Amino acid sequence: MPSSVPAPQQSAREQFSSLLQETLRGLGRPTLVNIVRASRVRGTPHLNKSSVSEWRRGVSIPETHDLLETLLLALDRIAGKRGLMDREQWLSIYAAALKEARTGPSEPAPVRDWTAMELGVHRPQLLPNAPTLTPYVRRDVDATVELALSRLLGKGGMVLLTGDSAAGKTRTAHHAMRTAALDSMLLAPQGSVDLADTVDTAVSLSRRGTPSILWLNDAERFLGTHGLTMQQFRRLRSARTVVLATLRDTFQQQLLTDGVAADVMNLAHEIRVERLWSSAELSRAAEVATSARDPRLAEALQASTDHGIAEYLAAGPQLWRELQQAPRVGGNPRGAALVHAAIDLARAGISGAITRDALVDLHEKLLPGSNTSLLTPEPLDRAWSWATEARYGATRHLIPVDDGWQAFDYLVDAVMRATAPAPLPQEVWETALELAVQSHQRHDVALAAFANDRSDVGERSLGPLAEAGDVDAMRALGVLHRRRAPKRAKVWLKRAIATGDAVSMRLLGNQYVFQGQRGRAEKWYRKAAKVGDPKSEAYFNEPGIYPQPRDKEPPEGDLSRSSEELSDEEDDDRPWQPSARTLKVLEAALDIDCDMTYDAIKEFGGKAIRPRKFGPFMLANLPSQTWQQGRKWRRKFARCYDDLAEDIRAGRLPSPTCTGEEMALHMALQSASAMTLDQMDFVEEICVGLPESPDDFDWADCKDLLFEDHDVLWLYWPWMSGVEDPADPVNRFAGIAYLRPEEWFEPFSKDKARASGRGHRR
């Protein structure tokens, strides 16, 4: 059927819409119902009225080639003759529209113009006369995500949604943008190679008075040594750009071993999206399923005991079950091997598209059993069709990506969630090393090798880069060999240090800490601090207790104290309490530190604190994780001193109710111990009328009594970098909470929360 040529000045999506409208006019304007009925051919995905209407109006385009082919077949059937559609023209315009839908960094568009599918939401099963996506069901974290996004709009920062594959992270983030930032400009780079241009675009938009959102779905593609750098992140924040990212748990663990990625993630407001839905979420899903009459949601609810609603809608569990059952006689063992080849390569760090040839070559070595002839695997063409055909109208085992293929990410995570996933065969590592031709790909393979305890593979991956002078590769090898080959680790770190790399100086200090050589470690921390490493500089600011001169203990056998006094002490089993003079000095220290902090805020405002630069005394002495916090956060911290001082004035012990108060009390104890050491005239003046006690100014015992633990001080330790992150292994093992700066003022328990309207001193 002839069709008019769309106007060249139109966008590709508009051209697709124009071509469809012109074709429908030539067919006598068939109704949406007729088009849907004509699409019902067995073995092809069915269309629905909502989708066809959106395609006709130019709101969206078919999400897959399969849907496009179904549309063209339906139009052929309406015309009464197969092959009337000019498929070459349709495919040309469709390819351009697909590329355009993946808007590059130079083409930002308002959030309202981006569909959830374009931003990476998994497509559920298609039903006739139903929208492509199921109606949105509010998640428990929605309010938290929306609030975090709203607070950062026009200011800059990062919101990071973490969780399992198909937990609903992407759709939750998209919904939050539609709720809180509908008119904001969105930039969605396709990979890390686009980041530099994206950052430039964000800065340009900011100069024109248009703050933006940078969308990093599947953030493992954008973080790491060759991804988003701290310098780029600071430029984005200065441009008031919000980074909104999603990250799967399996990749988060790997990225925490990458210093650059860990530093960026430490600055993010992380929000976890749970895979299994809560009872409240399930109730809301039931209400939506009933009101919308959507059988897909109803079916997902029936499986909600074992699976999350989002993962079931994306057909994840169904595909995983098929894959597990495929390697059997008469099944699809070769198809399963092709899929497992892609899964294993993803586990080995290959995150980009994999060619069919690479999967075919590798899968032969992964066929189950020692005698594959007994298994009688199916022919390759049938195996490939099984692995790549769409299932349940939603997805497939192997997903087409650019010029190659990837395993459906749910399948990769399903393997990783296994109690003891099988070690990757050597053949997989060899293939990964062959495919990793670019520098960032070699770093990805090395990170995967580190996670799989294969330092030999990491050395082979990064060794050539390091030998060629790549400092990032040298540093990464230093981390990679930390446990198994500490001498080798130090060799690579010292080679990086020879280039002036401050981070490697800190990492070498960490290496000496792990070996119990604290003196050598501090030597390297000092060197790193001198050249501008913030974590090393902050290490020397950790608050402590200045040693106090104590009266000599009476020699053994000294009877200067009566037996009656000793007996009284033995009978007194009351818990130790700070003396009145001790509490008075501590109260004064809290008041003084509070005033000094407000003075620092007045002078410095919300400006970021930089290493090796003059900074406000009270604020620069906090852990480096807080140096980027703004004026509002700093005022909350100053109020912590007042809250603790009010405890003392009310006749109570100063009892921290949040992390901020814990840090304030540590700082005040250091100040108090300095006062009783160097300012005794002032101490005596403020203690007039209070009785002296042998326990006066025992600050060490105060430190033991007034805190439940001293975990907050770990933020100063370079070898504990990242411990504030809930995904950090130490954090998980120790059950730590509330260490991230944005959580410092969250009460440890509701019954200990301070009054919300108490205000500030000034």
Side-chain angles (χ1 to χ4, degrees):
M1 172 176 287
S3 55
S4 62
V5 178
Q9 67 270 21
Q10 293 179 311
S11 69
R13 184 192 291 181
E14 291 170 335
Q15 291 181 41
F16 185 92
S17 171
S18 297
L19 181 57
L20 180 56
Q21 292 177 32
E22 182 68 21
T23 301
L24 293 176
R25 280 195 291 270
L27 294 174
R29 292 188 173 87
T31 65
L32 295 177
V33 172
N34 288 337
I35 297 172
V36 169
R37 286 175 179 170
S39 73
R40 294 178 183 174
V41 178
R42 189 172 182 178
T44 64
H46 294 175
L47 306 183
N48 59 68
K49 292 190 297 181
S50 175
S51 294
V52 176
S53 175
E54 289 182 354
W55 302 341
R56 185 181 62 186
R57 291 182 290 117
V59 175
S60 65
I61 59 172
E63 292 86 1
T64 66
H65 283 84
D66 290 344
L67 284 173
L68 174 65
E69 184 61 28
T70 299
L71 172 65
L72 298 182
L73 287 174
L75 298 179
D76 277 338
R77 294 186 71 188
I78 291 172
K81 185 175 181 181
R82 181 180 175 86
L84 287 181
M85 298 303 110
D86 184 349
R87 276 167 170 73
E88 184 174 346
Q89 182 184 23
W90 279 97
L91 289 173
S92 174
I93 294 176
Y94 179 68
L98 275 180
K99 184 176 181 181
E100 180 183 87
R102 300 190 294 266
T103 303
S106 61
E107 300 178 62
V111 167
R112 65 170 65 250
D113 291 346
W114 290 84
T115 68
M117 302 280 301
E118 288 174 321
L119 294 179
V121 171
H122 293 301
R123 176 164 60 90
Q125 179 181 359
L126 286 177
L127 294 179
N129 304 322
T132 301
L133 290 178
T134 58
Y136 187 74
V137 178
R138 282 194 65 81
R139 303 296 301 274
D140 291 343
V141 298
D142 278 359
T144 304
V145 179
E146 291 160 13
L147 179 60
L149 185 58
S150 298
R151 286 177 172 175
L152 294 181
L153 287 174
K155 298 178 182 177
M158 182 175 185
V159 178
L160 176 64
L161 272 60
T162 61
D164 289 320
S165 169
K169 303 181 297 298
T170 305
R171 194 163 188 197
T172 298
H174 176 259
H175 184 267
M177 286 193 294
R178 300 279 299 182
T179 302
L182 188 61
D183 295 316
S184 295
M185 298 300 289
L186 185 68
L187 300 91
Q190 288 303 293
S192 58
V193 294
D194 297 327
L195 277 175
D197 289 340
T198 304
V199 173
D200 289 342
T201 302
V203 172
S204 177
L205 286 172
S206 178
R207 288 172 179 164
R208 299 199 299 266
T210 309
S212 55
I213 298 175
L214 172 61
W215 174 257
L216 301 183
N217 194 44
D218 295 330
E220 68 273 7
R221 299 181 296 130
F222 304 95
L223 298 177
T225 302
H226 289 267
L228 186 67
T229 66
M230 283 300 297
Q231 182 180 9
Q232 289 174 327
F233 183 78
R234 291 188 184 108
R235 287 189 68 202
L236 289 169
R237 186 160 48 194
S238 297
R240 297 175 294 156
T241 297
V242 179
V243 181
L244 182 56
T246 69
L247 182 63
R248 287 149 58 196
D249 286 345
T250 51
F251 286 104
Q252 186 178 27
Q253 290 299 315
Q254 292 185 18
L255 287 170
L256 286 174
T257 65
D258 184 291
V260 178
D263 287 346
V264 172
M265 288 191 294
N266 285 341
L267 297 177
H269 182 166
E270 181 182 334
I271 302 169
R272 180 170 177 78
V273 180
E274 296 294 343
R275 179 176 65 90
L276 295 178
W277 287 30
S278 70
S279 57
E281 289 172 328
L282 293 176
S283 296
R284 290 194 290 270
E287 292 174 1
V288 172
T290 301
S291 61
R293 298 181 180 180
D294 195 314
R296 294 170 296 184
L297 266 178
E299 183 180 330
L301 278 164
Q302 293 178 358
S304 61
T305 302
D306 300 317
H307 305 295
I309 299 293
E311 68 176 326
Y312 194 87
L313 290 173
Q318 300 94 310
L319 284 174
W320 175 238
R321 186 167 53 250
E322 277 192 18
L323 182 61
Q324 289 178 302
Q325 296 172 350
R328 66 183 188 276
V329 176
N332 297 96
R334 189 181 296 279
L338 287 166
V339 177
H340 277 292
I343 291 172
D344 285 354
L345 286 172
R347 292 174 58 198
I350 302 299
S351 59
I354 306 168
T355 65
R356 172 173 170 159
D357 289 345
L359 293 175
V360 169
D361 289 345
L362 178 58
H363 96 283
E364 290 285 357
K365 303 162 187 174
L366 302 180
L367 283 168
S370 57
N371 189 344
T372 56
S373 62
L374 296 178
L375 191 63
T376 59
E378 72 277 26
L380 180 59
D381 287 346
R382 184 153 64 89
W384 189 259
S385 295
W386 179 88
T388 59
E389 70 182 357
R391 300 288 205 287
Y392 313 104
T395 188
R396 57 195 83 199
H397 290 96
L398 294 180
I399 308 294
V401 179
D402 297 330
D403 297 325
W405 302 84
Q406 283 180 336
F408 179 31
D409 56 14
Y410 182 89
L411 303 178
V412 179
D413 280 5
V415 172
M416 297 294 286
R417 281 197 297 265
T419 305
L424 291 172
Q426 184 62 30
E427 293 86 355
V428 172
W429 290 115
E430 297 296 338
T431 302
L433 289 168
E434 291 174 8
L435 294 176
V437 294
Q438 298 182 14
S439 177
H440 73 276
Q441 293 172 322
R442 288 187 167 274
H443 278 269
D444 290 344
V445 171
L447 279 174
F450 175 80
N452 286 272
D453 200 19
R454 288 298 303 266
S455 58
D456 58 320
V457 175
E459 182 88 27
R460 288 176 60 192
S461 183
L462 293 181
L465 297 177
E467 294 292 354
D470 187 323
V471 177
D472 293 331
M474 298 177 197
R475 187 193 312 121
L477 285 170
V479 174
L480 186 68
H481 288 302
R482 178 171 69 81
R483 288 193 179 93
R484 291 301 183 99
K487 291 184 178 179
R488 188 71 176 153
K490 286 187 279 191
V491 167
W492 282 116
L493 289 173
K494 287 180 178 178
R495 288 184 63 172
I497 288 168
T499 69
D501 185 51
V503 175
S504 292
M505 295 178 188
R506 186 219 309 158
L507 293 175
L508 183 55
N510 293 351
Q511 187 69 47
Y512 281 118
V513 168
F514 300 142
Q515 295 176 213
Q517 301 179 48
R518 195 67 167 265
R520 289 191 176 186
E522 292 200 356
K523 165 190 168 184
W524 285 106
Y525 292 148
R526 290 190 186 280
K527 289 185 176 182
K530 286 181 179 178
V531 293
D533 180 62
K535 288 182 172 61
S536 297
E537 185 173 314
Y539 169 66
F540 296 100
N541 295 334
E542 179 184 342
I545 301 296
Y546 290 102
Q548 304 291 303
R550 311 298 295 177
D551 293 335
K552 291 183 179 179
E553 295 292 333
E556 188 175 349
D558 186 351
L559 302 179
S560 59
R561 299 171 68 193
S562 70
S563 59
E564 184 178 348
E565 290 176 324
L566 295 174
S567 176
D568 287 344
E569 287 187 6
E570 290 173 358
D571 291 340
D572 188 2
D573 58 358
R574 292 174 300 177
W576 182 88
Q577 295 282 302
S579 69
R581 285 159 58 88
T582 301
L583 288 174
K584 190 64 178 178
V585 173
L586 181 54
E587 177 190 343
L590 287 163
D591 281 332
I592 292 170
D593 284 359
C594 183
D595 271 328
M596 293 175 65
T597 303
Y598 276 115
D599 289 342
I601 297 170
K602 181 178 180 180
E603 175 189 354
F604 212 71
K607 291 186 291 186
I609 296 168
R610 307 292 186 195
R612 300 182 64 203
K613 302 287 186 183
F614 173 77
F617 169 69
M618 296 303 295
L619 299 176
N621 278 19
L622 294 175
S624 60
Q625 291 90 335
T626 71
W627 289 2
Q628 310 296 320
Q629 298 301 315
R631 181 186 182 90
K632 186 176 181 180
W633 186 95
R634 290 168 177 172
R635 283 176 55 79
K636 286 183 179 180
F637 178 69
R639 186 171 59 187
C640 290
Y641 291 107
D642 261 339
D643 289 336
L644 293 166
E646 284 300 323
D647 282 345
I648 299 175
R649 283 190 276 272
R652 301 185 298 266
L653 290 180
S655 180
T657 66
C658 64
T659 301
E661 290 180 19
E662 283 189 332
M663 181 58 70
L665 188 54
H666 277 295
M667 302 279 278
L669 283 171
Q670 176 174 267
S671 299
S673 67
M675 289 165 59
T676 54
L677 190 64
D678 299 326
Q679 303 177 51
M680 280 307 297
D681 289 344
F682 174 68
V683 169
E684 293 299 336
E685 180 182 338
I686 63 175
C687 291
V688 169
L690 296 176
E692 293 188 19
S693 166
D695 292 329
D696 281 347
F697 317 136
D698 193 338
W699 304 116
D701 277 353
C702 284
K703 189 169 182 176
D704 290 337
L705 172 71
L706 300 177
F707 298 92
E708 290 188 11
D709 56 56
H710 302 309
D711 294 351
V712 69
L713 297 181
W714 292 0
L715 296 175
Y716 285 99
W717 300 352
W719 60 94
M720 296 287 275
S721 178
V723 71
E724 68 273 16
D725 193 314
D728 179 81
V730 176
N731 185 300
R732 287 187 171 184
F733 177 79
I736 305 168
Y738 304 112
L739 287 188
R740 292 181 294 183
E742 62 269 22
E743 299 171 334
W744 271 30
F745 312 112
E746 295 292 328
F748 294 144
S749 62
K750 292 182 179 179
D751 59 326
K752 293 184 179 180
R754 306 280 185 183
S756 58
R758 62 195 184 282
H760 294 265
R761 173 181 297 201
R762 54 186 168 105

